[in-house]
Amino acid sequence: MITLLPFEEADFDRFKSWIRSPEELLQFAGPYFSFPVTDEQLKKYIDDPRRRPYKIVSTETHNVIGHCELNFERSIPRLSRILIADNTERNKGYGKKTINAMLKLLFIDDIYDKADLNVFEWNSSAIKCYEGVGFEINESITSETSIGNEIWKGLNMQITKSDWIAKTQ
């Protein structure tokens, strides 16, 4: 199991240690941060009232294993910057548990009826995780981001409260 706790200044060094390249930063955080991530960027991030960043904590080990954010910049809340940081903790179901915990915050503890997220088309393991929770690809919204000599295609995925509830029962 996992729990989501507020991301704080005390978490900055751990967060920065997880990001080793501009490509990793773009995959995880989109274009919001610039590499290398600085304390100034992170301070601005946690002070932004449109964002609710969390650290992901394993309830078994009490270790911080990742990061996620609920983003309220648009009328539809967005799940953003989702990362299970420690490679040894990946493929254990923490991603799905994190997504469900985030959706519970939006759909049960709050008033929202729909949520979305963006993911790069080549990130098949993340897409599979999101589909397993009930997200569907919204083919009418795509994006392109250049990194080095490559163009990464971004996909938008959406879920409704009713679809999520049906999937969790």
Side-chain angles (χ1 to χ4, degrees):
M1 293 294 297
I2 58 99
T3 190
L4 302 181
L5 298 176
F7 179 71
E8 306 165 316
E9 283 189 55
D11 301 308
F12 286 5
D13 286 342
R14 179 187 317 103
F15 181 94
K16 291 185 296 184
S17 76
W18 292 337
I19 310 300
R20 295 177 300 274
S21 71
E23 293 80 9
E24 284 183 353
L25 180 62
L26 182 62
Q27 176 185 354
F28 156 61
Y32 183 80
F33 296 111
S34 60
F35 186 82
V37 179
T38 64
D39 286 352
E40 292 77 21
Q41 291 178 64
L42 291 170
K43 180 73 171 121
K44 180 181 173 190
Y45 174 59
I46 65 172
D47 288 344
D48 186 339
R50 301 168 301 172
R51 300 173 189 283
R52 281 193 234 154
Y54 298 94
K55 56 189 164 193
I56 305 165
V57 180
S58 164
T59 56
E60 288 107 32
T61 65
H62 305 288
N63 292 331
V64 177
I65 61 169
H67 182 86
C68 64
E69 172 197 322
L70 293 174
N71 180 313
F72 299 94
E73 292 180 309
R74 291 162 286 287
S75 59
I76 299 172
R78 176 163 287 170
L79 283 62
S80 300
R81 295 174 233 321
I82 303 162
L83 175 67
I84 303 302
D86 184 345
N87 286 336
T88 64
E89 298 299 336
R90 292 184 183 165
N91 300 312
K92 294 183 177 181
Y94 289 127
K96 191 172 181 179
K97 287 176 175 49
T98 298
I99 301 303
N100 278 315
M102 295 172 79
L103 292 173
K104 180 183 180 296
L105 289 172
L106 291 174
F107 294 155
I108 306 301
D109 298 347
D110 218 324
I111 57 167
Y112 297 96
D113 291 316
K114 188 177 199 177
D116 78 349
L117 56 79
N118 288 328
V119 61
F120 289 110
E121 180 181 52
W122 54 262
N123 196 345
S124 56
S125 60
I127 292 169
K128 182 179 176 183
C129 172
Y130 304 145
E131 287 175 335
V133 173
F135 277 86
E136 295 180 357
I137 294 174
N138 178 1
E139 305 217 4
S140 66
I141 300 176
T142 61
S143 62
E144 289 187 346
T145 304
S146 48
I147 180 83
N149 295 328
E150 297 180 38
I151 302 289
W152 291 359
K153 181 178 179 182
L155 304 175
N156 180 265
M157 300 182 77
Q158 297 183 349
I159 190 169
T160 63
K161 180 178 182 175
S162 59
D163 287 345
W164 178 71
I165 289 172
K167 190 85 171 175
T168 59
Q169 294 182 4

